[in-house]
């Protein structure tokens, strides 16, 4: 979101490592403000972003495999499912930023994959204006 309160977002986009840049292109070039899922990926590809079939790093893949194996073990235990999440799983990895250029113009953005290993279809609140970000060049940004 920029100081003029223009806004662009992509949600549920796969096969790209530059979601925040795709969102910026939606803000700058699209008649819509939010694109989701396959439509967001189609927009990205049509606007020069590359498709990345594999977006996990080796360390992220190992972490996911460990999580998956722990879930398998936990499902066979008698411990209630609500207590089977680790402290790390209860955290989030949202990144929020507010920037000001040399002229004093503000902009802000968020980037998140939300809770690790989220349920397919989940959209977090970070890309929603007023929930995860807000920018008005006359008063400020959050």
């Amino acid at each position: 979101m920029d100081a003029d309160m223009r806004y662009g977002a992509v949600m549920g986009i796969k096969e790209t490592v530059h979601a925040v840049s795709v969102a910026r292109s939606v803000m700058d070039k699209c008649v819509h403000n939010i694109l989701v899922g396959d439509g967001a990926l189609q927009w990205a590809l049509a606007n020069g972003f590359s498709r990345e079939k594999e977006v996990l790093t080796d360390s992220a893949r190992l972490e996911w495999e460990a999580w998956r194996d722990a879930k398998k073990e936990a499902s066979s235990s008698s411990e209630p499912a609500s207590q089977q999440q680790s402290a790390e799983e209860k955290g989030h990895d949202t990144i929020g930023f507010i920037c000001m250029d040399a002229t004093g113009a503000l902009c802000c953005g968020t980037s998140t994959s939300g809770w690790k290993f989220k349920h397919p279809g989940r959209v977090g609140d970070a890309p929603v204006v007023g929930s995860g970000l807000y920018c008005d060049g006359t008063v400020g940004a959050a």
Side-chain angles (χ1 to χ4, degrees):
M1 187 170 196
D2 71 7
D4 296 323
M5 298 175 67
R6 295 180 319 129
Y7 168 72
V10 292
M11 301 175 186
I13 190 170
K14 296 180 181 181
E15 299 180 351
T16 183
V17 294
H18 302 290
V20 74
S21 296
V22 177
R24 172 68 188 263
S25 75
V26 170
M27 180 181 79
D28 288 340
K29 301 176 185 176
C30 189
V31 299
H32 307 296
N33 297 104
I34 302 171
L35 297 176
V36 300
D38 290 340
L41 178 59
Q42 290 170 11
W43 173 270
L45 297 174
N47 283 275
F49 295 91
S50 62
R51 173 179 257 153
E52 303 291 335
K53 286 292 188 180
E54 185 56 63
V55 296
L56 285 179
T57 63
D58 289 340
S59 63
R61 179 171 308 290
L62 290 172
E63 184 180 358
W64 176 79
E65 289 171 351
W67 172 84
R68 179 197 60 198
D69 295 344
K71 285 293 186 191
K72 284 180 185 176
E73 289 177 25
S75 67
S76 64
S77 77
S78 59
E79 186 178 1
S82 62
Q83 295 177 9
Q84 293 176 8
Q85 288 183 330
S86 70
E88 183 178 319
E89 287 179 302
K90 293 178 183 177
H92 297 276
D93 60 352
T94 300
I95 298 169
F97 54 90
I98 299 171
C99 301
M100 180 183 292
D101 71 12
T103 68
L106 291 170
C107 70
C108 65
T110 60
S111 181
T112 181
S113 64
W115 174 54
K116 288 182 179 185
F117 320 123
K118 64 187 178 233
H119 181 39
R122 175 203 174 270
V123 172
D125 58 355
V128 178
V129 171
S131 179
L133 73 157
Y134 191 80
C135 186
D136 178 340
T138 62
V139 294

